[in-house]
Amino acid sequence: MTSCNDVLAIFLFGVILGVIFSTGDLTSQILQGPIGIVIGLVYGSLCGLALLYLPSYQAKYTNGLRFAMTALAGTLSVVGSKKVGYPSAGALGCIVTAFVAGTGWRKRPPTECNEVSMYLDLLWKFLKPVSFSLIGKEVKFSVLEGETVLYGFVTLLVAVLLRLIASYLSTVGSELNWKEKAYVTLAGFPKATVQAALGPAALDLARSVNATDEYGRAQTVLIVTVLAIILTAPLGALLMIKLAPRWLKRSTDERTDQYS
């Protein structure tokens, strides 16, 4: 559920940014979102299908080449979408590429080991601190206003409550007990990764198009992003670590698989 939520958040953020910073007439602004969806889906599907057959499975460094091509396809999607004027297509194209390719790779025989996800996870471990550092660099305490922080806190509180409600509703009808449902609900509380990636995006875009009248709003987005990270990530992570041994129990089947 969290992954789907992240995908939806990234895509909608790109769509909204595209509409806000669109310089065309009203019709082009309205069509900005749907056209971006189509471009992202088509690009991602084509790249994902291509990655199923390229490189060849007989290649010496198949997994390394897959990793490099997946990363390049995602980078081209994000950078190219901005060049053609549809930035909302970038994130969607990147996500669809990985989804289509990953789904196809998992259907291959188990002897054809796929280590791309491991490589991407290792890469993210290095890039994650960089994304948080970039946010810290952009924050300017001299422009902070009490009213902005207050409204940001209220907005964050409402968003967290809605997210917790949605997390709980996703467990309705499942076979989980009340402790497991509570833990799943709690897992929807901490937010940091997506915020770190998207926080400075509005400010960077405002600078790139020289939209000086949008600097204030972009700075507000960044401030709310920082508040979300500071208030939810440490507390949520601490609660999940402390409550996991008490609320979650490994099933007998999982224990058998682990020691078999």
Side-chain angles (χ1 to χ4, degrees), residues 17-225:
L17 277 187
V19 172
I20 291 176
F21 291 98
S22 177
T23 57
D25 54 17
L26 180 60
T27 302
S28 63
Q29 293 181 18
I30 295 175
L31 295 177
Q32 182 84 15
I35 294 177
I37 294 175
V38 174
I39 294 176
L41 289 175
V42 172
Y43 173 86
S45 299
L46 292 177
C47 287
L49 291 174
L51 288 171
L52 294 180
Y53 303 98
L54 298 174
S56 170
Y57 282 88
Q58 283 72 37
K60 186 176 182 180
Y61 302 105
T62 302
N63 288 311
L65 292 173
R66 286 179 185 170
F67 164 73
M69 293 178 66
T70 303
L72 288 175
T75 303
L76 179 61
S77 176
V78 175
V79 176
S81 63
K82 294 180 180 179
K83 291 296 183 180
V84 299
Y86 293 95
S88 60
L92 183 61
C94 183
I95 293 168
V96 173
T97 297
F99 173 76
V100 173
T103 301
W105 289 335
R106 283 192 291 269
K107 294 181 180 179
R108 298 290 183 177
T111 54
E112 298 175 349
C113 181
N114 174 37
E115 301 175 351
V116 177
S117 59
M118 182 184 68
Y119 295 154
L120 291 174
D121 182 64
L122 181 61
L123 178 63
W124 178 238
K125 289 181 179 179
F126 287 97
L127 294 180
K128 186 187 295 185
V130 176
S131 64
F132 285 105
S133 300
L134 291 175
I135 280 194
K137 179 183 72 69
E138 294 291 348
V139 175
K140 298 180 181 179
F141 291 98
S142 59
V143 301
L144 288 179
E145 298 180 359
E147 184 179 4
T148 302
V149 175
L150 177 61
Y151 284 135
F153 178 78
V154 173
T155 302
L156 178 61
L157 180 61
V158 173
V160 168
L161 290 176
L162 293 176
R163 181 174 174 82
L164 292 177
I165 293 173
S167 298
Y168 176 77
L169 292 177
S170 68
T171 65
V172 174
S174 65
E175 298 180 356
L176 302 177
N177 57 44
W178 72 268
K179 289 184 178 180
E180 292 169 337
K181 290 182 178 180
Y183 191 84
V184 172
T185 302
L186 181 63
F189 176 71
K191 295 300 297 178
T193 306
V194 175
Q195 282 71 13
L198 300 182
L203 189 59
D204 291 340
L205 187 56
R207 289 172 177 168
S208 64
V209 299
N210 198 25
T212 55
D213 54 332
E214 300 292 346
Y215 280 3
R217 296 187 181 92
Q219 190 69 37
T220 300
V221 171
L222 185 61
I223 292 173
V224 176
T225 297

Side-chain angles (χ1 to χ4, degrees), residues 245 248-260:
L248 302 180
K249 292 184 179 180
R250 183 173 297 180
S251 64
T252 305
D253 294 337
E254 290 179 343
R255 292 176 182 175
T256 303
D257 294 339
Q258 181 180 6
Y259 296 105
S260 59

